[in-house]
Structures are given as C-alpha cells and as structure tokens.
Amino acid sequence: MSVELFLNKDLTVKSVPEITPRLTRLFRVSNLQSFQNTISDLVSPGSPSKNSDTVVLVPTSAAGVQLSRTIQVTKFNKEATKQNFRLPEFLTRSDWYLAMLNRLVPAESLLSDIERNVCMWAAIRKARDSEISPPFKVRSGLLPAIVDFYDQLMRLGRSIDSFHRLMVTELEPNAGFDRGASSLLRQTHFLSSAFTNFKDQISKIQKLDEHELRARLLKGQMVPPFLSLIHI
C-alpha cells in the first residue's frame, strides 16, 4: 500500500505557465497498521486551519468514514488537547471535484450523473438516426458503462478523434474477413459518433462535467485554495 501526499502552497492558477511548483512525497508501508499510522501522522500535526484546507482522497465514502473513525480513536487517545484536533475532509473522486467546484471563482454548476446519462442517451439516439448503429442492442443499463468509458478516455488525455483513428487503423485491415474485427469496427464508429454528440449535448447545458471543470480549474481560481492532498 502507498500514500501519496501532494503539497501546494497555493492551488490558484491563472494560466498554465504560472502553475505553482508541487511537492510530491510517496510513502510506502508494509501493513495496514503502518498505513493507518502514516495517514494519522500526516493529518494530526497540522493546525485546525491547515486541516480545513486538506483533503484525503479515498476510493469510497465507506472507506473515508472508516478511516476517519480509526484516526479519531488512535489520535484522541494520544492527543492531550482533543478540542484542538480537527480532521481534514475524506472525499471520493466525485466529492473532490464537487469540493473544488464550490471554491471555484466564478461560480459554476456541475452536471449530475442522471443528467449525464440523459445526455448520453440523446447522443446515442442521434448517432442511430445518422445510421451509425452499434453491433449490439443499446439498453438503459449500458448507459453508465458507456459514460464511464468516455470518462476514462478523457482522464487519459485522449481525444475522440485520436481514439477513433487508432482503433480504425488497428481494425480496418482485418474487418473484411474477421467478424470480430468487423464488429469492433462498427462499435468504434458508433462510440465515436455518440461521444461527439455527447459533448455537443453537454455544451447546450449551462453546467460543467468533470472534464470541463478540470479545464476551468486550470484557468480559474479557488477561494480559499486547498493546501494539500493525501491520495490513498
């Protein structure tokens, strides 16, 4: 297990060349006890004001609750002045983006998961109306998986055009005699069209998704800024 600690003196960014240098420290631990003790040591020495601008990034909300309780028990047994000990926030990825959004200047609104699924459904219908059909039946249960795939592409910094170009280059030579390659090629055309339509649908709504928010954060300003991020 490992803990990554990201320390920023100021996360305020006005333009890419002016990004404040970031100090990153990686802690390696051998067991669960050491893992918990390391996080406890990282969050407890700071003042209450510092911890209010510190975030511990956790995989799930349940993990955050459990870790918070563990630190409270271990530190409250050791700290002489319990009233001065304040825990930082324990947030999931989506909660972390929401927390940054709430500090963003100027203020913006974030699309909900339901709104994004509705946008994707409209994007899929538009793709099918353009006679770009998938090699499978699109059911409502597939919507979150398609949105997740789109998110993974964006988080990796891949554009829709590059995804389409790379997949077509790989699959097209074999599509004439390989049914699997032909099916994947149709799926690629469909997803590329749906993803493009999806971005168009989102642009019509006066709200941001995770990826547009990330772009705005690089250009905007957070007040007050987060000072440190502990990434588990």
Side-chain angles (χ1 to χ4, degrees):
M1 289 177 287
S2 64
V3 181
E4 296 178 68
L5 175 61
F6 300 88
L7 294 176
N8 281 18
K9 291 183 178 179
D10 189 348
L11 289 180
T12 299
V13 179
K14 295 182 179 179
S15 63
V16 174
E18 297 179 10
I19 294 178
T20 305
R22 181 180 66 187
L23 173 63
T24 303
R25 297 174 61 193
L26 177 64
F27 296 82
R28 297 190 180 279
V29 294
S30 57
N31 53 52
L32 180 60
Q33 186 64 51
S34 298
F35 174 75
Q36 294 172 343
N37 289 339
T38 299
I39 300 174
S40 297
D41 292 340
L42 289 172
V43 302
S44 61
S47 64
S49 60
K50 178 183 176 182
N51 275 350
S52 66
D53 293 323
T54 297
V55 168
V56 181
L57 202 59
V58 292
T60 65
S61 298
V65 171
Q66 186 60 46
L67 183 57
S68 173
R69 288 175 178 171
T70 300
I71 293 175
Q72 284 180 329
V73 170
T74 57
K75 284 301 171 184
F76 280 0
N77 289 336
K78 298 177 181 179
E79 298 289 340
T81 55
K82 299 178 182 180
Q83 67 274 15
N84 292 328
F85 179 62
R86 178 176 178 177
L87 287 175
E89 293 188 80
F90 294 80
L91 303 177
T92 61
R93 171 190 284 270
S94 58
D95 292 336
W96 163 236
Y97 275 109
L98 185 59
M100 290 191 289
L101 176 73
N102 292 335
R103 300 189 181 200
L104 183 64
V105 177
E108 299 281 359
S109 297
L110 196 66
L111 281 166
S112 67
D113 290 340
I114 293 177
E115 288 173 321
R116 298 188 78 219
N117 286 342
V118 170
C119 287
M120 181 59 79
W121 185 247
I124 288 172
R125 286 170 51 184
K126 186 175 180 180
R128 290 190 300 191
D129 291 343
S130 301
E131 299 183 354
I132 305 177
S133 58
F136 52 83
K137 185 175 180 180
V138 180
R139 298 181 175 86
S140 58
L142 280 176
L143 280 177
I146 295 175
V147 173
D148 285 345
F149 183 40
Y150 171 84
D151 287 339
Q152 289 301 321
L153 283 177
M154 297 300 104
R155 289 167 187 166
L156 291 172
R158 300 291 180 86
S159 68
I160 298 171
D161 288 341
S162 64
F163 159 71
H164 184 264
R165 182 178 64 257
L166 290 172
M167 292 299 293
V168 169
T169 301
E170 181 72 21
L171 296 170
E172 202 166 43
N174 301 323
F177 56 87
D178 187 328
R179 293 179 60 185
S182 176
S183 178
L184 286 175
L185 184 61
R186 285 180 57 199
Q187 179 174 295
T188 298
H189 290 316
F190 166 73
L191 289 176
S192 298
S193 177
F195 290 165
T196 300
N197 296 336
F198 182 56
K199 293 187 70 173
D200 291 340
Q201 289 291 330
I202 291 177
S203 66
K204 297 176 183 178
I205 303 175
Q206 300 301 314
K207 292 184 179 181
L208 307 178
D209 68 352
E210 170 192 323
H211 316 294
E212 183 61 26
L213 172 59
R214 186 162 52 244
R216 295 287 180 89
L217 287 167
L218 289 173
K219 299 176 182 178
Q221 182 179 19
M222 283 193 295
V223 180
F226 286 105
L227 298 178
S228 59
L229 171 66
I230 300 173
H231 186 195
I232 300 174

